[in-house]
Amino acid sequence: MDIQELAEKVLAGERRALARAITLIESRRPDHRAEAAELLDVVKRSDRQALRIGLSGTPGVGKSTFIESFGMMLTAKGLRVAVLAVDPSSARSGGSILGDKTRMERLSRDPRAFIRPSPSQSELGGVARRTREAVALCEAAGYDVVLIETVGVGQSETVVAEMSDLFVLLLAPAGGDELQGVKRGIMEIADIILVNKADGELKPAAMRTCADYAGALRLLRKRPQDPDNFPKARTVSALQEGGLEDAWADMITLSDWRRETSHWDARRASQARHWFEEEVRLGALARLSQDKELSALMDQLGTEVAKGLTSPRAAAERVIAKLNAV
């Protein structure tokens, strides 16, 4: 594969080249990993930035419907929108449906939009291992907004916040009371809470839920990266496309304020450091499986731990000591 040629096509905004590039960075083959690193180094020189929006919520809350309506609104404004959708993988077979493009039929046909579903595989936190690198490729390809849709998550799965500029939490009506909103975890990192399905018979319930969470947000400690009135909660209807313009206006207001006050650059620098440290940890774990002697020791100690002959902590210390000695 000619990496330089592929990089030039990505920088030119060719969708097919972007799809090939994401396939390359998701590959686990050692030769592909080397080519992926080279590709990322080349496209990084463009220094393009998009607005990265992480979107999370419980299963069935309407994330795909919201993204399609929201994406169509943005493309109508002349913006180019990339959607990176992470689909849950089966714990048994490892397979994944990857049906997001089917759900977003209108948006998938829009020439200003690019949709890429990826399997979560064994990764925790609602995102795939290489989602961050896929975001960088979409930025290099000239997309103005990158939407990162996580799998249906709970309160502790917050990895998407480490690769996005804004984190939007999508909730369903009657999804909890004010006490539920005070709970730590995913609520603490949300920049904007959108209560979806505020239409028809569910509209009164959506209004009550929004009020509960708005009250909960006022009880959380003020964050330095937020202007007045943020984080905030509001209602939207993805089905009837209600409230989307107001939600977008909030996102622009927040992102502009963070750019003007240097929080934007500081956040991206902190995220870069986080992913550097994460790559080091993943590399150290990979070494355990690649080194034959260490792998054999892992198997031996794993058997001893399973039989109750040694404790997990003591076995781990022996592996770490051996790793330090190598």
Side-chain angles (χ1 to χ4, degrees):
M1 183 181 296
D2 189 332
I3 297 301
Q4 187 64 43
E5 180 183 354
L6 179 61
E8 290 174 359
K9 289 182 177 180
V10 169
L11 293 171
E14 294 188 20
R15 288 155 53 117
R16 187 177 299 236
L18 177 58
R20 287 182 60 204
I22 295 177
T23 298
L24 176 65
I25 66 169
E26 288 180 340
S27 173
R28 296 186 177 185
R29 280 175 43 177
D31 57 330
H32 285 175
R33 292 305 310 148
E35 291 177 339
E38 181 185 351
L39 174 65
L40 290 167
D41 284 340
V42 174
V43 301
K44 187 178 180 181
R45 297 170 193 162
S46 69
D47 203 28
R48 294 171 179 167
Q49 286 192 348
L51 177 59
R52 307 172 180 175
I53 303 174
L55 183 71
S56 189
T58 53
V61 75
K63 294 191 296 296
S64 296
T65 306
F66 172 81
I67 288 176
E68 180 170 51
S69 297
F70 189 65
M72 293 296 294
M73 181 196 71
L74 295 181
T75 57
K77 296 178 181 293
L79 299 173
R80 299 182 69 209
V81 179
V83 179
L84 301 176
V86 182
D87 215 39
S89 297
S90 169
R92 295 182 178 180
S93 66
S96 190
I97 296 175
L98 303 179
D100 294 275
K101 291 186 76 169
T102 303
R103 285 176 170 172
M104 305 176 197
E105 185 179 355
R106 288 188 301 145
L107 189 61
S108 64
R109 295 197 303 265
D110 194 315
R112 289 185 173 273
F114 172 82
I115 303 176
R116 173 68 182 219
S118 298
S120 63
Q121 297 176 329
S122 59
E123 297 299 311
L124 299 177
V127 296
R129 178 174 177 180
R130 299 299 171 188
T131 298
R132 177 186 59 87
E133 295 174 353
V135 171
L137 289 174
C138 291
E139 286 186 314
Y143 285 89
D144 303 297
V145 180
V146 180
L147 296 169
I148 310 162
E149 179 197 2
T150 71
V151 302
V153 299
Q155 287 178 313
S156 63
E157 296 175 284
T158 56
V159 176
V160 69
E162 293 294 342
M163 61 180 73
S164 57
D165 302 310
L166 304 177
F167 180 58
V168 177
L169 180 60
L170 207 61
L171 299 176
D177 54 16
E178 188 169 340
L179 181 61
Q180 186 75 17
V182 178
K183 290 183 178 178
R184 299 305 188 253
I186 202 167
M187 287 293 301
E188 286 183 305
I189 63 170
D191 295 310
I192 298 174
I193 294 176
L194 300 178
V195 182
N196 193 23
K197 304 183 180 181
D199 49 60
E201 295 180 356
L202 288 175
K203 187 170 183 178
M207 299 296 289
R208 288 193 299 270
T209 300
C210 182
D212 285 340
Y213 278 93
L217 289 174
R218 287 193 288 269
L219 298 177
L220 296 178
R221 182 178 299 175
K222 179 72 174 176
R223 304 179 306 184
Q225 70 268 29
D226 293 330
D228 292 337
N229 301 321
F230 282 91
K232 64 168 55 178
R234 67 165 59 252
T235 59
V236 295
S237 169
L239 189 63
Q240 297 182 354
E241 302 181 1
L244 300 184
E245 290 281 358
D246 292 336
W248 175 239
D250 287 341
M251 295 176 198
I252 293 299
T253 298
L254 182 55
S255 63
D256 286 348
W257 185 88
R258 286 179 175 173
R259 287 178 191 270
E260 294 167 1
T261 55
S262 301
H263 287 291
W264 177 284
D265 293 332
R267 183 182 179 92
R268 289 219 169 182
S270 174
Q271 289 173 346
R273 183 181 181 91
H274 168 86
W275 290 108
F276 154 69
E277 295 173 352
E278 186 66 18
E279 286 295 330
V280 172
R281 282 192 289 268
L282 292 172
L285 288 173
R287 185 177 174 185
L288 290 175
S289 60
Q290 293 168 358
D291 188 289
K292 292 183 179 179
E293 190 174 350
L294 284 171
S295 183
L297 180 61
M298 286 280 290
D299 288 339
Q300 174 195 333
L301 292 175
T303 301
E304 292 180 10
V305 169
K307 292 181 177 180
L309 301 177
T310 187
S311 69
R313 182 189 179 107
E317 288 177 350
R318 286 179 60 185
V319 173
I320 293 172
K322 181 67 176 178
L323 185 62
N324 291 334
V326 174

